[in-house]
Amino acid sequence: MNGKVVGFFIAALAVVCTYCSSGNLNNVDSAKAVNDTIRIANDSLEYEVVIFDSGFNSWLQRAAPRGFYSQSYLEARNQVWVQQWNIKANTQGSSNLFLTQIEYNPRINYGYEVNYLLFNYLTYFQLQNNVNLGTFQPRRFQ
């Protein structure tokens, strides 16, 4: 592993993307939910996402199923929302919801699963906290 760790923390949330080598997360071996913790990883651990947030796991069960949105759709939303998140994180006097930046590089192919989880967490976060991270309005999946 190169040891390059990208992450952000909000209250009881931690999303960590670990970049170990070039490539993407195509062969996901497991998605485990334990005590509202979701871990997505593959054998080579090129990228990993871990989310700790009370209520997110049950919310995710009601979200759009995997494959409903294309990876390019998820990446487009993530890029805009992460950019707005980082602006709020860098603004003095901004809400204490945005404590640190999210390092999300649109030139890296994180794969479908990482983008799916990030998209759904950012949707959940906006709906739960009644905030808007850009021109794309988050919506509940029915």
Side-chain angles (χ1 to χ4, degrees):
M1 280 190 211
N2 293 338
K4 180 178 179 186
V5 176
V6 179
F8 64 96
F9 297 91
I10 300 160
L13 161 78
V15 175
V16 180
C17 299
T18 305
Y19 178 67
C20 298
S21 62
S22 62
N24 59 37
L25 183 65
N26 287 325
N27 299 317
V28 175
D29 290 333
S30 64
K32 299 177 183 175
V34 178
N35 297 330
D36 284 326
T37 300
I38 296 176
R39 180 178 182 268
I40 305 298
N42 66 3
D43 280 341
S44 62
L45 292 178
E46 293 165 348
Y47 304 102
E48 181 178 37
V49 175
V50 179
I51 299 174
F52 306 97
D53 194 327
S54 176
F56 177 68
N57 184 36
S58 61
W59 183 90
L60 185 61
Q61 301 306 313
R62 296 183 310 272
R66 285 163 177 80
F68 184 83
Y69 298 116
S70 69
Q71 183 172 330
S72 61
Y73 177 91
L74 298 173
E75 290 169 340
R77 297 309 189 267
N78 287 343
Q79 187 174 355
V80 170
W81 287 347
V82 166
Q83 183 180 30
Q84 291 303 309
W85 177 289
N86 288 340
I87 288 170
K88 291 179 184 295
N90 287 328
T91 303
Q92 294 254 344
S94 183
S95 169
N96 64 356
L97 295 172
F98 307 95
L99 301 176
T100 61
Q101 288 191 357
I102 300 171
E103 295 184 37
Y104 179 83
N105 185 342
R107 293 183 299 265
I108 294 176
N109 181 0
Y110 294 104
Y112 189 86
E113 198 66 20
V114 170
N115 279 287
Y116 174 80
L117 279 179
L118 181 59
F119 168 82
N120 277 296
Y121 179 73
L122 292 173
T123 299
Y124 168 81
F125 177 84
Q126 291 177 83
L127 293 171
Q128 291 296 110
N129 294 290
N130 197 30
V131 297
N132 186 4
L133 293 175
T135 58
F136 305 116
Q137 297 293 319
R139 60 180 183 225
R140 296 185 196 280
F141 183 77
Q142 301 296 351

